[in-house]
Amino acid sequence: MGNRETRRVADENDVRRCIRRALDLYFRDLDGERPAPLHDMVIASVESTLLQYVLEKAEGNQSQAAEILGMNRNTLRKKLKFFGLI
């Protein structure tokens, strides 16, 4: 495994650990309440954060952000509008 690939695998593990910690805190803080529809909540939180972060890294250039994300620019724009990021 090359350095870049090794780093990517390590980063994925860091992201997974971060998500796991956030879920642990979420369930701890429920204090007996029923959880929200968890899948939709987590996916929306991760996706909106990812889109905003990559757009910032691309200095607002949507074409570059779409390329980094591996999606079509029109798809990115649709998602940015959905999350109120543009």
Side-chain angles (χ1 to χ4, degrees), residues 48-62 64-66 68-69 76 80 85-86:
S48 64
T49 302
L50 176 63
L51 296 175
Q52 185 174 22
Y53 182 86
V54 171
L55 190 58
E56 288 170 6
K57 288 294 183 185
E59 298 177 345
N61 184 318
Q62 293 177 13
Q64 185 180 3
I68 292 168
L69 290 163
L76 174 61
L80 292 172
L85 298 173
I86 59 168

Side-chain angles (χ1 to χ4, degrees), residues 4-76:
R4 189 175 192 175
E5 190 172 334
T6 301
R7 180 170 168 77
R8 186 176 28 198
V9 170
D11 289 346
E12 289 172 0
N13 291 333
D14 289 344
V15 170
R16 287 182 178 160
R17 279 193 293 275
C18 182
I19 293 168
R20 201 177 231 341
R21 279 193 302 269
L23 288 169
D24 286 342
L25 290 172
Y26 174 77
F27 278 98
R28 186 195 72 202
D29 292 345
L30 282 176
D31 196 31
E33 295 291 318
R34 290 191 63 125
L38 197 56
H39 181 267
D40 291 343
M41 182 182 74
V42 170
I43 296 303
S45 296
V46 170
E47 187 172 27
S48 64
T49 302
L50 176 63
L51 296 175
Q52 185 174 22
Y53 182 86
V54 171
L55 190 58
E56 288 170 6
K57 288 294 183 185
E59 298 177 345
N61 184 318
Q62 293 177 13
S63 295
Q64 185 180 3
E67 185 178 334
I68 292 168
L69 290 163
M71 66 176 59
N72 180 285
R73 183 177 172 275
N74 291 332
T75 301
L76 174 61

